[in-house]
Amino acid sequence: MAWRFLPPWLDLEAVSMAFELPARTVLKRTGVATLGTSSATALRVTLAPTLLRVAFEPYLVIDLPPPLGDMGLQQVEYDLRSGAMTPNVFYTGGLVRVGKGSAEDEARAFMRALVTSTPMAIPPYDPTSDPDLVVTVRQLLLNLESDSGGPAVRGARVSARLTLREELAGAVGSDGFRIPAGATMAASVDVEGTRQEIETAPRVQRIEVDCSSAVLRKHGVDQADLRRFVVKRGGEIAVERVEPLGAAGQAAGVESLVRLFGALAAGGGVALDPQRLGPSVVEGLVKEEIARALGPVLVDWVRQNAEIIVGMDLRQVLGISEGDGVA
């Protein structure tokens, strides 16, 4: 489904943002009950076209004095169409099991506080048609930090699954890449900074991408299909999974990798010889060569499409300067 804050050729299935809460963090006290973490816990906020979900991995503990039974809070779901809130609260032990209804009410109050002062607070709400979705998410983060009562948010991991409606391509000279229409991508992004920094100027440190197809072109010819790669701050690329195409793809074993880059040479200018080097060594060298060829193409594409996401400058986010070098 197309989202207004993204270009029309890019579909977003869902996006989630995870933060880590330290062990034994008290988030809220209500009467005799304490809500908090028992161990290091991931708080994950997921936004889909019809749903907002806040989940805790592992679950939060609702601690009650004996003989009352403790409870766990796994997640709260908010239906963006109807406004219905569904908490997942369950007993974890104890002799006297009371108070579950009150715990569920508190979980709903947490969700209401999270969406307050945002368009989400008034259903029906459609995030795909929100032109200011980045601003809406910023307010969510502000509400999350102010309502949690715990330590300030610092750093996050953003995950998304996307589908391309149209082909995406970039090139520098005869080298480049293309991701065909219909390709799917699952991306995980590590963002550093405080809540304020993430809101105003997020700094991406690492992006892990699994892609159904990302074709690398060298000398004007499709040479390899990248299935998994990592983009580091500044545009540096590390290739983790690659499959040869064309004539190279028809060869077997390590020789097919060597043919991807016929000019690749070992130290001292000695051409690679599959008989002299182990498969893992050759594969590693070829991946490095692919990364060197693809890096400048990615940096150039980011510079030309820096404002492709509404409300965000990709050059600042990825640490890529307007000219040569790294920001």
Side-chain angles (χ1 to χ4, degrees), residues 90-107:
F90 50 89
Y91 291 107
T92 61
L95 299 176
V96 181
R97 297 188 169 188
V98 297
K100 183 178 178 181
S102 297
E104 291 175 341
D105 288 342
E106 288 295 333

Side-chain angles (χ1 to χ4, degrees), residues 96-264:
V96 181
R97 297 188 169 188
V98 297
K100 183 178 178 181
S102 297
E104 291 175 341
D105 288 342
E106 288 295 333
R108 294 187 185 96
F110 167 82
M111 180 63 80
R112 281 192 293 270
L114 183 62
V115 301
T116 191
S117 301
T118 76
M120 295 181 184
I122 305 176
Y125 166 76
D126 181 3
T128 67
S129 63
D130 186 349
D132 300 315
L133 186 61
V134 172
V135 176
T136 300
V137 172
R138 286 173 178 168
Q139 183 62 47
L140 276 180
L141 294 179
L142 175 60
N143 293 343
L144 178 64
E145 185 172 281
S146 62
D147 187 64
S148 68
V153 167
R154 185 168 192 88
R157 187 171 181 85
V158 181
S159 302
R161 185 171 180 82
L162 310 125
T163 301
L164 270 65
R165 287 174 174 266
E166 303 173 6
E167 182 177 271
L168 174 66
V172 174
S174 61
D175 296 344
F177 74 93
R178 63 179 181 87
I179 303 177
T184 59
M185 293 185 293
S188 295
V189 185
D190 291 330
V191 185
E192 72 167 15
T194 62
R195 187 264 306 164
Q196 294 90 338
E197 291 168 339
I198 292 174
E199 287 179 14
T200 58
R203 289 172 54 87
V204 167
Q205 295 302 311
R206 177 184 175 92
I207 305 174
E208 298 177 4
V209 180
D210 287 283
C211 187
S212 62
S213 180
V215 178
L216 174 67
R217 296 177 63 83
K218 189 170 180 64
H219 306 311
V221 179
D222 291 350
Q223 298 280 15
D225 201 349
L226 306 186
R227 297 300 179 91
R228 180 176 174 81
F229 56 95
V230 175
V231 180
K232 300 177 183 178
R233 185 163 185 81
E236 179 185 350
I237 293 177
V239 176
E240 295 192 350
R241 182 185 170 197
V242 59
E243 296 181 4
L245 296 174
Q250 296 173 12
V254 70
E255 291 186 19
S256 66
L257 292 172
V258 175
R259 292 180 188 177
L260 286 176
F261 292 89
L264 186 66

